[in-house]
């Protein structure tokens, strides 16, 4: 089972100054930054997935700016992302349309030729057909919603035209037919139709909102309808803890951003660690937001609720005590007390009553005691933890948070490789 990381221009400044919270003086975004496969000792994935919606174009802007978009199309995905086939042999670079970005449109905004030109310019090894997202997931006995049926037919018609036109890209390009459906039976029927069209690799769409039992039901129906030799890819599969339940469906690959995103979007599971039994465990990052760059704190200060000078002193004390604890120069309780004293201002929610805020701070105390008390950064040998130490456990600024996300990618990839090895034996 191969893991593809979904590109969203996630990189860090290798010269970032943690003590002063600033990037290198002459740093140029992207050019001087490191992607996860550059910053870490080895690539923490088997390939990359690049969505057309992320790259964007003149009509539908994505995350790339105009210059980056033009450079991507001119140089190709591997050169732009600095993920060469020489350095990373046998790696995949897959593309898709980013159907979620045009979910409200009646028809996909990209033509077959348009997507093939994108794949050719980017030098992709794999590319998905032009699909249209179906939101419904119903029992097989339920009637097909009219819109779902229309999107289903659009997706299959596009796939039939796509595989014929994709021949011009040569043998170095593998087309994937995208499966969309409103029920297990309709998804199985779509998969069977795609195989008859000539596809040997299918991408299963619409997985993001589904429960794991619904995903299993869909995969079971699909596997019964197609030859075992046909490869399956799961698009946007974020339920990574439950991957083991899907191995019996012989999944060839999946893509996700989950390990990186959880570093700063999850309420508690911000830092990954592995147990001796190759289980994943999680730690909450210690929240010490920047006083001068936090919009909520600035608004409160302007309203006279907070003295900004006092706030800056509390922030500095919290950071100093956490760093002193990491160097074993202060106690755990002193470090946590300093963090929560600052947190009474920095993390206090004016929309909640005092009891709820106090309960939240008590929860943070419990979680921070586990995070700092267990000192997980000392047990990890990845570059993030070697170079950054406890800074990787502080929830503060993009460069810290994305470093923690890169750490998560490496831990998850090592976990997955061991699980793959165990499955083979």
């Amino acid at each position: 089972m191969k893991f593809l990381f979904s590109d969203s221009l996630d990189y860090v400044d290798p010269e970032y100054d943690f003590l002063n919270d600033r990037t290198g003086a002459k740093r140029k975004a992207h050019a001087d930054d490191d992607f996860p496969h550059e910053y870490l000792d080895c690539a923490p994935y088997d390939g990359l997935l690049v969505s057309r919606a992320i790259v964007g174009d003149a009509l539908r802007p994505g995350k790339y700016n105009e210059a980056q978009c033009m450079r991507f199309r001119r140089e190709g995905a591997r050169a732009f992302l600095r993920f060469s086939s020489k350095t990373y042999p046998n790696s995949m670079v897959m593309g898709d349309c980013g159907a979620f970005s045009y979910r409200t449109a009646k028809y996909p905004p990209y033509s077959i030729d348009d997507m093939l030109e994108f794949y050719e310019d980017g030098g992709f090894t794999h590319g998905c057909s032009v699909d249209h997202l179906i939101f419904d997931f119903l029992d097989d006995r339920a009637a097909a919603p009219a819109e779902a049926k229309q999107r289903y037919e659009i997706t299959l018609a596009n796939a039939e035209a796509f595989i014929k036109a994709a021949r011009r890209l040569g043998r170095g390009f593998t087309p994937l037919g995208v499966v969309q459906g409103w029920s297990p039976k309709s998804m199985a029927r779509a998969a069977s139709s795609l195989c008859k069209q000539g596809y040997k690799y299918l991408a299963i769409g619409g997985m993001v909102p589904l429960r794991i039992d619904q995903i299993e039901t869909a995969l079971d129906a699909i596997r019964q309808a197609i030859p075992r030799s046909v490869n399956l890819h799961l698009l946007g599969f974020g339920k990574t803890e439950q991957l083991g339940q899907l191995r019996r469906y012989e999944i060839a690959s999946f893509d996700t951003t989950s390990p990186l995103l959880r570093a700063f979007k999850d309420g508690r599971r911000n830092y990954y660690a592995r147990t001796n039994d190759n289980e994943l465990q999680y730690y909450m990052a210690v929240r010490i937001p920047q006083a001068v760059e936090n919009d909520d704190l600035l608004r409160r200060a302007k309203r006279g609720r907070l003295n900004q000078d006092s706030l800056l002193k509390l922030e500095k004390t919290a950071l100093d005590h956490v760093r002193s604890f990491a160097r074993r120069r202060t106690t755990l309780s002193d470090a946590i007390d300093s963090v929560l004293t600052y947190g009474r201002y920095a993390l206090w929610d004016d929309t909640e009553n005092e009891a709820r805020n106090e309960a939240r701070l008590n929860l943070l105390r419990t979680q921070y005691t586990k995070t700092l008390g267990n000192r997980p950064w000392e047990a990890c040998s990845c570059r993030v933890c070697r170079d950054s130490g406890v800074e990787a456990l502080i929830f503060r600024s993009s460069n810290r948070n994305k470093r923690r996300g890169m750490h998560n990618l490496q831990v998850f990839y090592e976990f997955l490789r061991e699980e793959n090895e165990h499955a083979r034996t």
Side-chain angles (χ1 to χ4, degrees), residues 35-320:
F35 288 101
H37 51 270
E38 296 179 296
Y39 187 78
L40 298 170
D41 299 323
C42 59
Y45 31 70
D46 300 300
L48 295 169
L49 181 136
V50 183
S51 172
R52 175 68 184 273
I54 291 291
V55 177
D57 54 39
L59 297 177
R60 300 182 65 84
K63 190 166 183 178
Y64 287 41
N65 61 37
E66 185 177 357
Q68 289 172 330
C69 182
M70 292 176 63
R71 184 177 167 191
F72 181 92
R73 298 290 290 261
R74 183 175 65 251
E75 297 181 349
R78 287 195 181 274
F80 182 84
L81 299 170
R82 302 190 286 271
F83 192 68
S84 73
S85 57
K86 183 178 180 180
T87 306
Y88 308 102
N90 303 316
S91 60
M92 298 169 62
V93 180
M94 183 185 291
D96 74 356
C97 301
F100 187 79
S101 69
Y102 53 84
R103 62 195 178 279
T104 59
K106 189 171 183 179
Y107 300 101
Y110 308 122
S111 68
I112 305 301
D113 287 340
D114 191 28
M115 284 306 302
L116 286 174
E117 182 182 353
F118 175 73
Y119 293 149
E120 187 173 24
D121 289 346
F124 288 85
T125 62
H126 298 70
C128 296
S129 59
V130 183
D131 62 320
H132 212 7
L133 189 63
I134 294 176
F135 299 96
D136 306 277
F137 191 80
L138 308 173
D139 185 271
D140 281 331
R141 294 167 293 182
E147 184 179 7
K149 191 171 183 180
Q150 181 189 41
R151 288 170 176 247
Y152 176 90
E153 292 170 350
I154 288 171
T155 299
L156 281 180
N158 282 341
E160 186 172 14
F162 181 82
I163 194 170
K164 293 175 182 177
R167 292 169 186 157
R168 73 174 192 239
L169 270 61
R171 294 183 178 180
F173 177 78
T174 300
L176 282 81
V178 180
V179 175
Q180 292 283 356
W182 62 87
S183 66
K185 188 174 181 179
S186 66
M187 294 180 80
R189 191 163 61 245
S192 178
S193 296
L194 291 169
C195 290
K196 290 175 183 177
Q197 291 173 7
Y199 285 98
K200 304 298 183 184
Y201 211 141
L202 305 183
I204 316 300
M207 296 282 99
V208 174
L210 302 187
R211 302 188 310 268
I212 191 66
D213 62 300
Q214 293 175 316
I215 293 173
E216 287 194 77
T217 302
L219 289 175
D220 186 59
I222 289 169
R223 264 301 174 207
Q224 290 186 46
I226 64 175
R228 305 302 292 189
S229 59
V230 173
N231 288 328
L232 294 181
H233 177 89
L234 300 183
L235 287 166
F237 183 76
K239 298 172 178 62
T240 51
E241 290 91 347
Q242 296 162 311
L243 266 175
Q245 295 175 229
L246 307 184
R247 286 192 177 277
R248 61 195 178 101
Y249 304 109
E250 298 178 46
I251 306 302
S253 56
F254 70 97
D255 69 89
T256 188
T257 56
S258 180
L260 185 135
L261 290 181
R262 282 185 179 179
F264 47 90
K265 288 195 172 182
D266 196 283
R268 298 190 188 187
R269 297 172 295 182
N270 307 126
Y271 179 95
Y272 284 28
R274 289 168 67 206
T275 67
N276 292 333
D277 298 327
N278 198 42
E279 297 290 336
L280 290 175
Q281 61 177 327
Y282 311 95
Y283 292 93
M284 180 189 284
V286 179
R287 285 155 169 76
I288 309 178
Q290 292 170 279
V292 296
E293 295 186 16
N294 185 291
D295 291 339
D296 288 338
L297 289 178
L298 287 176
R299 281 194 294 269
R300 292 182 200 173
K302 289 177 180 178
R303 293 197 300 262
R305 292 192 181 186
L306 297 174
N307 180 296
Q308 198 163 9
D309 288 338
S310 298
L311 193 66
L312 286 168
K313 290 179 182 177
L314 291 175
E315 176 194 26
K316 184 178 184 302
T317 299
L319 288 167
D320 287 346

